Amino acid sequence: MPSVTGSATNRLPFVVWVLAVGTFLMGTTEFVIAGLLPEMAADLNVSVSHAGLLITAFAVGMIVGGPTMAMATLRLPQRHTLIGALTVFALGHAIAALSTSFTVVLSARVVTALATGAFWAVGFVIATSAAGPARSTRAVGVMMGGLTLANVVGVPIGSFVGQYTGWRGPFWALAVLAALAAAFVGRFIPRTDQRAEVSVRAEIRALRQSRLWLALAAAVLIMGGVLATYTYITPLLTDRAGIPAGAVPLVLIVFGIGALGGTAIGGRRGDHRPMVTTITAAAATALTLLTLIPASNSPVTAVILVFLMALTGFTVNPVVTSLAVRFAGDAPTLTSALTTSAYNTGIAAGSLAAGRALDSSLGLTGPALVGAAFAALTLLPLIVLALALSNAADSSRIVAQHTAGADTAEQQAANATMTSTH
């Protein structure tokens, strides 16, 4: 049987990959709705704009529900929480697929968002714990890679299947796959793996660290920058770059490949040089988005820049997530949930600002300008965090040197005493 806790080699524990499957399913359900909205609106007898509330409801459920569910399940065994979250996720999709009421489907989306928040919060804690300190960022990168892969594979396949089976087909598929994932989690998460004996007060006390909020701020800003541009990338590609509408999904796949690569790079490099990796990636993201504004007239250049935007922007995510969980110490569950809320907050804020920029005199390049501003602002919390970590490291080094010097002096005094005695 594959190792659950890992070995002395550089391989990640198998449980990390199992958790990545769960994030793949949950990432797919969050974004697949965009490609199914017209069919859902017609079937549920609502307008397309009204059906868009299904996306909003899920995002709000993730922002609010993640921390809430993390605290509500704090004293439950981690294994039970993951299985319960996947089970609720499966039931929510089954109920939605059986219903003809928009209200019921909307309520099911909120419930599945709560389950997703609980899964992410606990999943990150288990993944980093199983991988160990030396591979924690890499483990987070793999888990977030499941979310990114959902954009590359899950969403296009779900939209394609929905065209032939109706929107209920993808919902049934997600329900079945989530039930299978629950069985896998039950098989590979050790039964003895319980939550740490940490109180709600300890979890809240862990939030007092300024370093933690700097990492969360960076998560909000970098995701806001990339998604501000990505949300309105289609009109930029078609109306400005001259790319045919039928080819836009291919460009979005290119974006997904870049995001997947960035997540992998961040996971690999973040364990060794986290601050250099994040600061460089955030600066590169801002530069890429600024370049996209004048260079988006060329279809080839636009596609290359979309790829680079995803590659550099998503490099930051696994690093700041791992740092946030690490800063929380022995009370990481609420912090892990807050990272998920941070990313969804960035998505909401970036998309809102980009939409207003698109309607302004900036036009099609407005979202890219907003994205560049968000990415540039990401450098502020990252630089402050780097300085804080550097000062902490210097202080530890001075204490260690002082302790070593005191030990040496004591040893010399002891040697002198022994010499005089002899």
Side-chain angles (χ1 to χ4, degrees):
M1 184 185 74
S3 171
V4 176
T5 58
S7 62
T9 67
N10 197 38
R11 291 182 299 175
L12 287 174
F14 184 69
V15 67
V16 175
W17 300 96
V18 174
L19 293 171
V21 173
T23 60
F24 170 80
L25 295 176
M26 294 177 176
T28 299
T29 198
E30 182 171 8
F31 300 114
V32 75
I33 292 293
L36 302 174
L37 276 183
E39 292 83 359
M40 296 187 73
D43 189 52
L44 298 173
N45 295 317
V46 296
S47 65
V48 174
S49 60
H50 195 63
L53 291 175
L54 296 172
I55 299 175
T56 305
F58 196 94
V60 172
M62 287 287 290
I63 293 171
V64 178
T68 302
M69 292 304 297
M71 300 309 294
T73 60
L74 183 63
R75 296 190 179 277
L76 294 178
Q78 293 174 329
R79 178 174 174 272
H80 291 177
T81 300
L82 292 180
I83 294 173
L86 286 167
T87 302
V88 171
F89 184 89
L91 290 175
H93 281 80
I95 291 172
L98 290 169
S99 177
T100 58
S101 167
F102 176 79
T103 302
V104 172
V105 176
L106 184 68
S107 300
R109 288 286 289 174
V110 174
V111 171
T112 54
L114 295 177
T116 300
F119 183 93
W120 274 72
V122 177
F124 276 135
V125 175
I126 292 178
T128 55
S129 176
R135 295 174 295 175
S136 61
T137 304
R138 186 181 167 200
V140 171
V142 169
M143 277 196 66
M144 298 191 73
L147 177 63
T148 307
L149 193 63
N151 285 310
V152 182
V153 178
V155 172
I157 290 178
S159 299
F160 181 78
V161 171
Q163 294 177 4
Y164 293 92
T165 65
W167 66 269
R168 301 176 193 275
F171 270 63
W172 278 119
L174 286 167
V176 172
L177 291 173
L180 291 175
F184 267 87
V185 167
R187 174 69 177 83
F188 291 105
I189 299 292
R191 292 180 181 274
T192 56
D193 189 11
Q194 304 286 325
R195 287 189 184 275
E197 293 297 328
V198 179
S199 66
V200 173
R201 183 177 300 176
E203 289 282 346
I204 297 175
R205 189 165 55 244
L207 302 182
R208 296 177 181 176
Q209 295 191 63
S210 59
R211 297 183 304 174
L212 169 62
W213 291 102
L214 289 170
L216 292 176
V220 171
L221 290 169
I222 193 64
M223 186 57 70
V226 174
L227 268 296
T229 309
Y230 178 75
T231 300
Y232 299 99
I233 198 65
T234 298
L236 182 72
L237 295 174
T238 56
D239 298 343
R240 184 170 172 82
I243 296 175
V248 169
L250 298 177
V251 181
L252 299 184
I253 291 176
V254 170
F255 174 90
I257 294 172
L260 192 60
T263 302
I265 292 172
R268 289 278 183 176
R269 298 287 301 166
D271 282 323
H272 305 292
R273 307 189 72 183
M275 300 318 303
V276 172
T277 300
T278 52
I279 291 173
T280 302
T285 304
L287 181 61
T288 299
L289 291 172
L290 280 176
T291 306
L292 184 63
I293 296 173
S296 55
N297 288 322
S298 167
V300 174
T301 304
V303 172
I304 293 173
L305 291 173
V306 166
F307 171 80
L308 292 176
M309 171 184 72
L311 183 72
T312 56
F314 277 79
T315 296
V316 179
N317 296 348
V319 185
V320 293
T321 299
S322 179
L323 287 174
V325 173
R326 193 181 308 170
F327 293 152
D330 294 330
T333 306
L334 180 57
T335 298
S336 179
L338 286 174
T339 58
T340 304
S341 296
Y343 289 125
N344 280 276
T345 301
I347 292 172
S351 299
L352 178 63
R356 294 190 175 183
L358 182 67
D359 293 334
S360 71
S361 58
L362 296 172
L364 295 174
T365 59
L369 182 60
V370 171
F374 270 70
L377 288 173
T378 308
L379 292 170
L380 294 179
L382 289 177
I383 291 173
V384 174
L385 180 57
L387 292 174
L389 293 176
S390 177
N391 291 335
D394 290 341
S395 299
S396 299
R397 194 176 302 113
I398 291 172
V399 171
Q401 290 174 349
H402 177 76
T403 303
D407 291 342
T408 301
E410 290 179 3
Q411 184 63 41
Q412 290 174 349
N415 291 338
T417 301
M418 292 176 64
T419 300
S420 62
T421 301
H422 286 297

